[in-house]
Every structure is written in structure tokens, then in C-alpha cells.
């Protein structure tokens, strides 16, 4: 348990620091004064004041914040601080300051994936057959356990994912599949059939398959600098896209909110990843960092996306959203956020008790 709590604090600390540092850095770039840079909420534990900024560690480690000069439109400013006021900056500058938090979470993920890809390479699931389903197209075509699929319709295949994707998009037409066996290479003909299967979200979908399962053999492939950059960008984009789809499906009711996890689940997963090794832990940090960026960009008041929505309206109407409207929206957003926190804590506690058989 102690191991999981420590891993959780490390994960959360890194994520919060990069998010708030994004806000802080761009704010200072545009000459906005920063009064507080806090990791955590609540009472100040300790810190140091440099200039007008109080860099602090606060009691509750479930977030953080950057308090800028003139952050609220009706805030009274000390003499001489108007030039450093957030509210007095242009709409574009304010939008960039707010957007910098989620952006830095994305950058963190890209950097982590890049370093891992450059020094550890990528693991590739080989397109080797572990089992052949009886009566399937592959069974009728003569596939055997241990076959290594090397090409489909003359195009080279280097991974199980690539092979499955090619078959899945075949439209059911007959394919010429080259396999390698102990005695050499041979070409087998199989016509994929449309079968129900599950996607990453557990939803049932129809997909073309030939009826083989993976042998589970993996190989590590080293990447050059440019390849590592492209790989990190692809991974980050794929996770962000998946997160957007998940959020959209939750809003429409296609996915249950029971799947949402909170601090307890993150702590458990962080502990598991830490035990698996430093590389696994940092990959977990990268995934959570992307998720945090996507969630923060939702157009909900009190989140960065809500602030961006207000600034966008201001840019279109050429005048700020009224203080009253902002206050009401902030209150609604806070209620939604509290309800979400209650939900994730409930889900976490339910999983914890059921997993222990209580």
C-alpha cells in the first residue's frame, strides 16, 4: 500500500508540475505576474517566495494552481500592477496562457514516449499463429500452429497488428497469404468472414477475420531519432483520440460511467507500473498526462476548456462575458466537478471492496 501511495504521489506530482508550469511559463512570457505557484490545494505546508511569487507545496495533493495578478475581471489591483494583470492582456494571450497547461501535458507525453522509443525501442507482436480455429477460413486454407505470416497479396507484413488490420479491411475478398514454416515459404488462400468481436472499449463490432490467434511472440526493434519522434507523436495522438472517443461515448451513454476511475484506482495502477519497472511507470505517466490534457480541454467552467470557451465568446462578441454569467457558470461547473469526484471515489471504493471480496 505504501508503495502505491508513493508511486501515486510521484505520478500526480509530475503531472501537476508540468501542467501548472505550462500556465506559469507562458504567463511570464507575456509579462503576467504570478502570485502563487502551488502543487496541491489547501493550507500551505512550505515553500519559498521569489519576487512576488510564492512557490508552495500545499496539503491536499489532488491538483495544483497558478494564481496570476488580475486573474478575475473585477479584482482590485495594487498600484503599479496593472501592466502585469492577466485580465489586461489580449484575448489571444489569455487563451494561450490557459491552453499552455494541457499543451505541456501533451508535450510531457511526447517526450516520455520519445525517450523510451529511442533508448528501449518498440515491442512488436510477431504475426505468428498460435492457434487455428476449427472450421474457420484459416483452417480450411491449411494454416498451422507456428506459421509466420510474412505477406498478404504480395505486401510485406511485419507485425500482428499490421496483419490483422489488412485482413480487417479486406472487405471479405479472397487473400493470398504467404506463410513461413520449417520447410520453407508457401502461399495459402483464405477468404475472411465477418464475425462479431470486441474493440478496445469492450463494444461488439463486426470485423473480417480468418480464425487465427496470436502465438504471443514479441520482438524489440530499435528506432532512429526521426523514427522515435514519429513513434512518440503517433502514440500520443492515438491515446488522445481514444480518450476523446471514450468521453463522447460516456456523454451519449454508449459507455457506462462505472468504468471511470479516480485517485484510488490511479494509485493502484501506479503501484503496479512502478513494480513493473521505471519504463512502465513513465509510460503510465504519459498515458495519464494525455488523459489529463483532454479532460482539461472539455468546455466545462472551472476547467481550462471552460475558460477558453469564455475567451472565444469574448473574441467573437468583442466584449468580455459578464461577471454574473461567469459566476453562475463557475458554480454549475463546480457542481458538475464535485459530482464527478463523488462518482469516481464511489467507483474506486466499490472496486476496492469487491476486489477484496468484502
Amino acid at each position: 500500500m505504501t508503495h502505491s501511495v508513493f508511486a501515486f504521489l510521484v505520478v500526480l506530482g509530475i503531472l501537476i508540475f508540468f501542467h501548472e508550469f505550462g500556465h506559469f511559463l507562458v504567463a511570464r512570457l507575456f509579462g503576467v505576474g504570478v502570485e502563487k505557484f502551488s502543487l496541491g490545494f489547501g493550507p500551505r505546508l512550505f515553500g519559498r517566495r521569489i519576487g512576488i511569487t510564492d512557490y508552495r507545496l500545499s496539503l491536499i495533493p489532488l491538483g495544483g494552481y497558478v494564481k496570476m495578478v488580475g486573474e478575475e475581471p473585477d479584482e482590485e489591483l495594487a498600484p503599479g500592477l496593472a501592466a502585469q494583470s492577466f485580465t489586461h492582456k489580449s484575448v489571444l494571450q489569455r487563451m494561450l496562457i490557459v491552453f499552455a497547461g494541457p499543451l505541456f501535458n501533451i508535450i510531457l507525453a511526447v517526450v516520455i514516449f520519445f525517450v523510451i522509443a529511442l533508448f528501449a525501442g518498440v515491442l512488436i507482436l510477431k504475426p505468428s499463429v498460435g492457434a487455428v480455429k476449427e472450421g474457420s477460413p484459416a483452417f480450411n486454407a491449411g494454416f498451422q500452429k507456428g506459421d509466420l505470416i510474412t505477406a498478404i497479396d504480395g505486401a510485406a507484413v511485419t507485425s500482428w497488428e499490421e496483419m490483422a488490420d489488412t485482413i480487417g479491411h479486406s472487405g471479405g475478398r479472397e487473400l493470398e497469404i504467404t506463410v513461413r514454416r520449417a520447410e520453407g515459404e508457401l502461399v495459402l488462400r483464405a477468404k475472411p468472414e465477418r464475425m462479431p468481436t470486441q474493440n478496445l472499449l469492450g463494444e461488439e463490432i463486426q470485423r473480417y477475420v480468418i480464425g487465427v490467434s496470436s502465438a504471443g511472440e514479441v520482438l524489440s526493434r530499435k528506432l532512429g531519432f526521426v523514427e522515435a519522434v514519429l513513434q512518440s507523436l503517433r502514440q500520443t495522438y492515438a491515446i488522445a483520440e481514444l480518450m476523446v472517443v471514450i468521453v463522447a461515448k460516456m456523454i451519449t451513454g454508449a459507455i457506462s460511467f462505472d468504468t471511470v476511475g479516480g485517485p484510488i484506482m490511479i494509485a493502484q495502477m501506479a503501484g503496479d507500473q512502478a513494480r513493473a519497472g521505471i519504463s512502465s511507470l513513465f509510460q503510465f505517466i504519459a498515458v495519464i498526462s494525455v488523459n489529463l490534457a483532454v479532460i482539461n480541454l472539455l468546455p466545462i467552467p472551472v476547467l481550462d476548456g471552460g475558460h477558453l470557451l469564455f475567451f472565444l465568446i469574448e473574441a467573437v462578441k468583442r466584449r468580455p462575458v459578464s461577471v454574473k454569467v461567469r459566476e453562475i457558470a463557475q458554480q454549475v461547473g463546480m457542481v458538475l466537478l464535485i459530482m464527478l469526484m463523488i462518482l469516481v471515489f464511489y467507483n474506486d471504493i466499490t472496486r476496492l471492496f469487491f476486489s477484496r471480496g468484502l
Side-chain angles (χ1 to χ4, degrees):
M1 183 63 180
T2 304
H3 191 273
S4 293
V5 171
F6 178 74
F8 170 72
L9 293 176
V10 169
V11 169
L12 209 59
I14 292 173
L15 295 177
I16 295 168
F17 173 79
F18 269 85
H19 184 92
E20 300 305 333
F21 184 67
H23 292 312
F24 174 84
L25 189 65
V26 179
R28 297 302 300 130
L29 181 67
F30 291 137
V32 175
V34 176
E35 296 176 358
K36 298 175 185 175
F37 184 111
S38 177
L39 295 183
F41 296 114
R44 182 182 192 268
L45 294 178
F46 59 86
R48 184 177 181 184
R49 179 174 292 276
I50 301 175
I52 68 167
T53 308
D54 178 22
Y55 299 90
R56 60 167 66 179
L57 186 66
S58 299
L59 180 63
I60 305 171
L62 298 179
Y65 63 94
V66 167
K67 173 67 174 70
M68 291 173 280
V69 173
E71 197 167 317
E72 299 301 325
D74 56 347
E75 184 178 335
E76 291 187 13
L77 299 176
L81 287 181
Q84 298 184 53
S85 170
F86 174 79
T87 305
H88 287 70
K89 300 300 177 181
S90 70
V91 175
L92 178 59
Q93 288 175 326
R94 280 178 277 150
M95 290 181 75
L96 290 174
I97 292 170
V98 172
F99 181 69
L103 177 63
F104 266 57
N105 281 128
I106 294 292
I107 292 172
L108 172 62
V110 172
V111 170
I112 290 174
F113 285 136
F114 166 74
V115 171
I116 292 173
L118 185 63
F119 292 100
V122 291
L123 293 178
I124 298 173
L125 185 62
K126 292 174 63 176
S128 51
V129 177
V132 182
K133 183 179 178 182
E134 190 171 345
S136 66
F139 181 86
N140 296 330
F143 279 79
Q144 297 178 8
K145 180 180 179 179
D147 283 348
L148 178 66
I149 298 172
T150 59
I152 299 177
D153 286 342
V157 169
T158 58
S159 69
W160 183 271
E161 182 183 17
E162 188 178 21
M163 179 270 294
D165 190 59
T166 301
I167 293 173
H169 289 88
S170 66
R173 61 183 174 81
E174 187 176 70
L175 303 173
E176 290 187 351
I177 303 175
T178 305
V179 300
R180 184 181 301 153
R181 292 180 185 164
E183 59 268 25
E185 285 193 340
L186 64 154
V187 177
L188 303 175
R189 293 179 178 273
K191 187 175 182 180
E193 58 183 358
R194 207 159 181 254
M195 295 286 289
T197 185
Q198 287 189 332
N199 62 15
L200 289 172
L201 305 178
E203 300 171 306
E204 187 173 287
I205 59 172
Q206 296 291 322
R207 185 178 177 86
Y208 285 101
V209 298
I210 60 173
V212 294
S213 59
S214 170
E217 299 176 8
V218 296
L219 57 87
S220 178
R221 185 167 72 88
K222 289 291 184 180
L223 300 180
F225 186 89
V226 175
E227 285 182 307
V229 170
L230 296 176
Q231 175 68 14
S232 66
L233 292 173
R234 281 194 295 265
Q235 281 184 277
T236 304
Y237 177 82
I239 294 167
E241 183 181 37
L242 180 61
M243 187 61 186
V244 170
V245 171
I246 290 173
V247 170
K249 287 183 178 292
M250 283 184 175
I251 293 172
T252 59
I255 296 178
S256 172
F257 276 92
D258 292 343
T259 59
V260 178
I264 297 175
M265 189 177 79
I266 294 174
Q268 290 175 324
M269 294 177 69
D272 292 340
Q273 298 303 316
R275 281 185 285 271
I278 191 69
S279 177
S280 295
L281 178 62
F282 273 92
Q283 287 196 65
F284 177 71
I285 291 173
V287 171
I288 298 297
S289 191
V290 176
N291 291 351
L292 181 64
V294 172
I295 290 172
N296 261 285
L297 287 173
L298 293 176
I300 299 174
V302 311
L303 296 180
D304 292 332
H307 294 298
L308 288 172
L309 179 61
F310 287 139
F311 296 147
L312 185 61
I313 294 172
E314 179 181 342
V316 173
K317 296 179 66 176
R318 297 187 180 278
R319 66 176 184 273
V321 177
S322 70
V323 174
K324 184 177 181 180
V325 170
R326 286 173 63 95
E327 287 177 349
I328 294 173
Q330 295 277 8
Q331 290 169 1
V332 171
M334 186 59 71
V335 170
L336 290 174
L337 201 58
I338 291 172
M339 289 173 62
L340 180 60
M341 289 177 67
I342 293 172
L343 173 66
V344 298
F345 272 110
Y346 172 79
N347 287 346
D348 280 355
I349 293 170
T350 302
R351 287 192 196 96
L352 186 64
F353 284 170
F354 275 106
S355 66
R356 293 184 177 181
L358 299 178

